[in-house]
Amino acid sequence: MGILTQLEIENFKSYKGKQIIGPFKRFTAIIGPNGSGKSNLMDAICFVLGEKTANLRVRSVKNLIHGSPIHKPVSNKAQVTAVYAEEDGTEMRFTRCIVGSGTEYRINNKGVPYSQYQEKLESLGISIKARNFLVFQGTVESIALKTPKERTQLFEQISRSGELQDDYLQTKSDMQSSEEDTTFHMHKKKGISAERRAARAEKEEADKYLNVKDDLSTSQIRYQLFKLLYNEKKIENLSISLQKKEKEVTKMESRCNNIEQQLKSKKQESAKLARETAVLDKKIQEKDADLIILRPQYIKEKEKSLHLKRRIDSLNKKLDKHKAAHLKHQDDIKSLKNELNNVVHLEDEYEKQLKEDEDVRSIRLRESQVHEYTKLKEQVAKTTTKFKQELNKIDREQDDDQKKLQSNKQRREDLLAQEKQLADQKNEVEQRIETLSKYISANSEELNKLQHHFDTISEDLRQANGKQSELNRELEEVTSKLSEANADNQESHRNQKRRELIERLKEMFPGVFGRLVDLCEPIHSRYSVAVTKILAKHMDSIIVNTEKTARDCIEYFKEQHIEPATFLPLDGIRPKAINEVLRSVGGTAKMILDVIQYDPPELKKALEFSAGNALVCDTMEEARKLAFDGSSRKKVVGLDGSLFNKSGVISGGASDLKQRAKRWDDKVVDNFKRSRDRCRNELKEISKIKRKEPELQNLKSKIDGLTNRLKYSKNDRETNENVTLEEKKRELKLVRDALQQTKNSITKLEKAVSNRKDNIDSLRTRINQIEDQVFSEFCHSIGVENIRHYESKMLNKQQSQSKRRLEIQSQKSKLQQQLEYELKRDTIAIVTKTENVLNSDKMELKQSKLDEDKQQEKIDRMEEMVNELREKKSRLKDVVEDKEIEVKELKKNFNQKSKEIASERNNMSSLENRKEQLLNDRNGILMTCKLDNIKIPLIGTSVEELQLEPGHERELLDSEEAMEIDEDVDQGDLRFKLPEVQIDYSSLPKKYRNAEDASDYKDLNDELSSNVKRLQNLLATISAPNMKAGERLDHVNLRLAETSQQFEAARKRARKAKADFEGVRKRRYDLFMDAFEHVADHIDNIYKDIADNASAQAFLGPENAEEPYLDGINYNCVAPGKRFRPMDNLSGGEKTVAALALLFAIHSFQPSPFFVLDEIDASLDITNINTVAKYICNETKRNCQCIVISLKEEFYHYADSLVGIYSEDGECTMSKVLTLDLNKYVESKP
């Protein structure tokens, strides 16, 4: 395969003059700055290869000449020559010149037409239409963003299958038009065939019609005679049964009257006994009321006795304690007196001993020595008079302070003892206060509980009394209303069972609402008759939510053998649409739905089904006008029950209509009964609550007792807290203050004594010096160191004596103070006071016991009387119960007889109704025969001569037994009163005159009825005979032959058009699939080579496998190392690589010798640039030549040669070219 070796450009766009660009290698990169003319070089290649001018970014060919954009073209012509070299070295020159406003084509400098020029290029593999040799700037990105439909167009362009699109559409349109024409003639042929069959059937039906009509007339006469015969037999049997029933009822009524007389007598006796019982009840209630008053008084006295008893026990304990304290006090006084006597005796003995010791000591000195001692002493006294006076003064002061100090210390001891005693007393008072507080707290809590219980019961009783009054008033009102409504009559057993059945159904099946009559009611009693007339048979219908619930209920009825009932499932009924216009017709007219109130809301659908668009008016005249005078008839009912149907039939109230209307009143009565039963039940519950009154009195007594005990305890605690404890605290404070003062005095005295002692020592030292001078010789003579040594012995003795004397006096003083304090304490007064209080409480307890016994005696007498009354009442109650049993038995018999009579009356009424019904049936049969022209044989007359009796027309409207006829009721069901006629049964076969029982009658009736219905149905299927059916059949046969010829011609045209279309479709499909399958087979490997990774995947898939060119082509890639993602979610580089893979795959389908790519690396990163460049290198070595415009060094340094484009500025930018062969620098290339 050859290559493009060079380009020769002359005055083309930015290339001024003639410039030779090349040579081009297998891989040539065109580089240069932006705006230098690289893209113009791309345009030159496209231009020379035949690209249209519009794709070269200019409006006309002249704009391609250099300088034209600035309106200064350098020449009137320009040209581009591409030099193509074959593998064997042969060169071919392709030239395209701009001449005037057109272009010329040359091959090897020889002018050729464009078609020859194009064929030559295509012979080399260069397709101008497919553009398989170049990729414009931005094409890569646009390919990556193409939709599936755009990819299909790309493949159509490459495969050239798109050239067949017009032929494809034209042949397809021709085929569809031919098929439609064929279909039209085919349907036309079928229609004429059906018309022929219909004409043939008309002819056959005309033949059958007369035969069937004759058979039907005979069967109808036989059937009506059969019904009339057995109708007369049934009427005769019913008349005989009625006579027998009348006789039986007369006998039963006589027996019932006798039982009623007995019942009245027994009721009077029972009422008398009931009054006596009521009197006894009243007396018992009065005695119970007295007991209710006495019991609390007794409980109060008993509580008082218990309180006094506990108080006496407490006082006895206190008295014992006070007596023990008094005895201890007496012992303490006696002990103190003994101790004081012993101390006094000890003092006397000690003074006596001191006197004896003084006498013994004075005789130890000689008399001369004593005299000398005295003389010297006087001398010393004279010498130390001043000092001794001062010393004596200080000694006196010292002695006084020492005495005060000793007295204060003694007082301190006394105060400490008194403080301890007062603290003990204070603790005792506080302990008693704490005990009282605990007692008060416990009793307060108990009192609160009792009070709460008392309040609860009181509130219950208060509410019960209020509720009882309300219920009594309500019960009186309900009883009065029941009496007015005469509602005390026993509900019929059948209605009661029906109510129980409905309640049972509601429990078993949640979807059951109840009977319609129980779920709704008129908004006013004036509408009762009208509503009853409209609802009619649906009043007793049972409303359920779904058909399934209805079937379950019916199954239950069958299992329990319950009489049948009608069910209205809300999801199954289809009511007529409500005409809202009827709500505003004027006058007194209202929609029947608007005068009915109902609950729950779901019931509305059932009422719409039952009542429809019926109206109600106040008067019969207004109802008649509203029903018939308007543009359209309406169904209207008057307040008296007169119903005007759309069909024109007017019916009055049936005999039992007003009776049935009373069922709405029965609902009110039922509500009254339920209210009465509810009031009675609530009164019974209230009576249980009122039995708590004695308990309330008992609680009140307990509360009063606890309140009194709490009052005494609180007073005691308050006295101890506010009087005794405060008094002890004051005394203790005074003692502690005195103790503190004493301590301060002791400290002050001790400090004064200590300070004074230093002065005494100084004076004594001075005196001693004087004495030593005076007594020096005397001391020497008696053998002592100094006179003080002698005197010390004597002085120590005196000090010891003084100390001993002081101790005895101190002990004596202390005992005297203690004895004085104990004598002041009057413990006997506390004992006396406690004994007085105890004696008073004992007297009060004795009196309380007497009062308690009196109350108990009264209660015992009262209870004895109540028990006697109760026994009497019990005996009387037994008698009453016996009477009630007799009354009940008689009442039961009476009710049973009444029920039997009512049952017989109902049976008679049923027989009469049946007889009347049979008579009406007979008249109805005769009238049917008259209306339907059934000529049954009559004696003395004929069916045509039958006439209504005079006045019967009015009876038709006013009869109480007239049937209700609505729009959907057949006129043949009307019942008329006709004159008596005699019927001739001789024409009725003997087989039909001698039915032995009901089963035979039913079989014969079914046989005759089915035969009539069969013939009627057969006759109904046969339309009136068409006498021209033969002529019509011939005409249809001619038309059918003509249409068959047209149909065959259309079929031939359709087959030819389809064959033409299939040929074009196959050629288009083959061209498209050749290109698509080639690209689809190669794209995965190409994508792996470009991505340089075996894990990369690329695949194409058509959306329409049958005709892929009609729909899109999906293109998806899995980038290396990533999961599958849609093309729109790939990065820019990944999209570019995918687009390049698609481009190279497409290029491989019809490869051109060279491939020109304009800036395909714009969106690639370095890694992708390297992989793409390596792939292009490999491709250029194997398959084709690549000329790439690039701005990235990472890409173009892989090229074999570089073509550098640069620009020179001027009036018009001029592009210049440099060429560099990189093969010379193979070693330096990566």
Side-chain angles (χ1 to χ4, degrees), residues 429-664:
V429 173
E430 289 177 344
Q431 187 175 2
R432 173 156 181 78
I433 290 171
E434 183 180 359
T435 303
L436 286 171
S437 297
K438 291 181 180 178
Y439 177 79
I440 290 169
S441 176
N443 282 277
S444 297
E445 185 176 354
E446 180 66 20
L447 180 61
N448 290 334
K449 290 181 180 178
L450 292 174
Q451 188 65 44
H452 177 70
H453 194 193
F454 179 82
D455 293 341
T456 303
I457 295 177
S458 299
E459 181 64 21
D460 291 343
L461 287 172
R462 186 187 66 78
Q463 292 179 359
N465 290 329
K467 187 71 173 176
Q468 187 179 29
S469 301
E470 294 177 3
L471 289 172
N472 285 329
R473 286 196 299 272
E474 184 179 355
L475 186 60
E476 288 177 3
E477 293 175 0
V478 171
T479 305
S480 175
K481 290 178 180 178
L482 282 173
S483 299
E484 293 174 1
N486 195 22
D488 286 331
N489 294 332
Q490 184 179 4
E491 186 179 23
S492 70
H493 182 66
R494 184 172 180 272
N495 285 337
Q496 185 176 1
K497 287 186 66 176
R498 176 63 68 176
R499 292 181 186 277
E500 292 173 357
L501 174 62
I502 295 298
E503 294 301 323
R504 192 159 63 249
L505 286 177
K506 288 181 180 180
E507 294 176 359
M508 296 176 61
F509 306 104
V512 177
F513 293 99
R515 293 186 302 174
L516 184 63
V517 69
D518 297 329
L519 297 173
C520 66
E521 61 183 357
I523 60 175
H524 193 275
S525 59
R526 62 198 295 261
Y527 296 111
S528 299
V529 175
V531 172
T532 304
K533 183 72 173 179
I534 292 297
L535 295 184
K537 60 184 178 181
H538 289 299
M539 287 182 65
D540 287 320
S541 297
I542 300 173
I543 312 301
V544 295
N545 57 352
T546 62
E547 292 183 1
K548 181 180 182 305
T549 305
R551 287 194 293 270
D552 293 341
C553 293
I554 292 170
E555 187 65 27
Y556 176 75
F557 275 42
K558 291 179 180 178
E559 293 175 356
Q560 301 296 323
H561 302 291
I562 300 171
E563 62 182 83
T566 302
F567 290 84
L568 295 181
L570 296 179
D571 68 337
I573 57 179
R574 298 293 181 267
K576 296 180 181 178
I578 300 301
N579 187 359
E580 296 295 334
V581 177
L582 297 178
R583 297 186 188 273
S584 57
V585 294
T588 63
K590 295 181 181 178
M591 288 196 71
I592 201 73
L593 290 175
D594 296 338
V595 300
I596 300 175
Q597 56 187 5
Y598 54 89
D599 186 58
E602 294 87 346
L603 193 63
K604 182 178 180 181
K605 190 174 181 181
L607 287 172
E608 290 176 352
F609 175 79
S610 302
N613 288 311
L615 298 173
V616 58
C617 294
D618 288 356
T619 63
M620 182 177 176
E621 183 63 24
E622 183 182 4
R624 187 190 64 76
K625 289 181 179 180
L626 184 61
F628 301 136
D629 290 354
S631 59
S632 61
R633 293 190 174 187
K634 304 174 186 65
K635 183 178 181 180
V636 188
V637 63
L639 294 182
D640 60 349
S642 299
L643 178 64
F644 298 84
N645 290 289
K646 290 183 180 181
S647 61
V649 176
I650 305 173
S651 63
S655 58
D656 62 339
L657 181 60
K658 292 184 179 180
Q659 187 65 31
R660 282 189 290 135
K662 289 183 180 180
R663 297 184 66 184
W664 304 112

Side-chain angles (χ1 to χ4, degrees), residues 45-106:
I45 296 173
C46 294
F47 176 74
V48 74
L49 295 178
E51 185 62 66
K52 294 180 180 180
T53 305
N55 295 329
L56 300 177
R57 302 180 295 168
V58 293
R59 294 184 178 179
S60 65
V61 176
K62 291 181 178 181
N63 291 335
L64 296 173
I65 299 174
H66 182 74
S68 293
I70 61 174
H71 306 292
K72 293 181 180 180
V74 297
S75 176
N76 60 356
K77 66 178 182 178
Q79 68 177 18
V80 179
T81 300
V83 180
Y84 178 77
E86 295 282 4
E87 291 182 355
D88 56 3
T90 304
E91 288 187 352
M92 297 182 67
R93 295 174 64 86
F94 294 89
T95 304
R96 185 178 182 186
C97 302
I98 299 174
V99 179
S101 60
T103 58
E104 295 179 354
Y105 297 93
R106 299 174 185 171

Side-chain angles (χ1 to χ4, degrees), residues 990-1008:
K990 187 176 182 181
K991 170 186 176 182
Y992 299 108
R993 284 186 285 175
N994 297 320
E996 296 180 357
D997 52 23
S999 61
D1000 290 343
Y1001 170 79
K1002 185 176 182 303
D1003 293 339
L1004 294 172
N1005 184 71
D1006 291 343
E1007 179 184 341
L1008 292 170

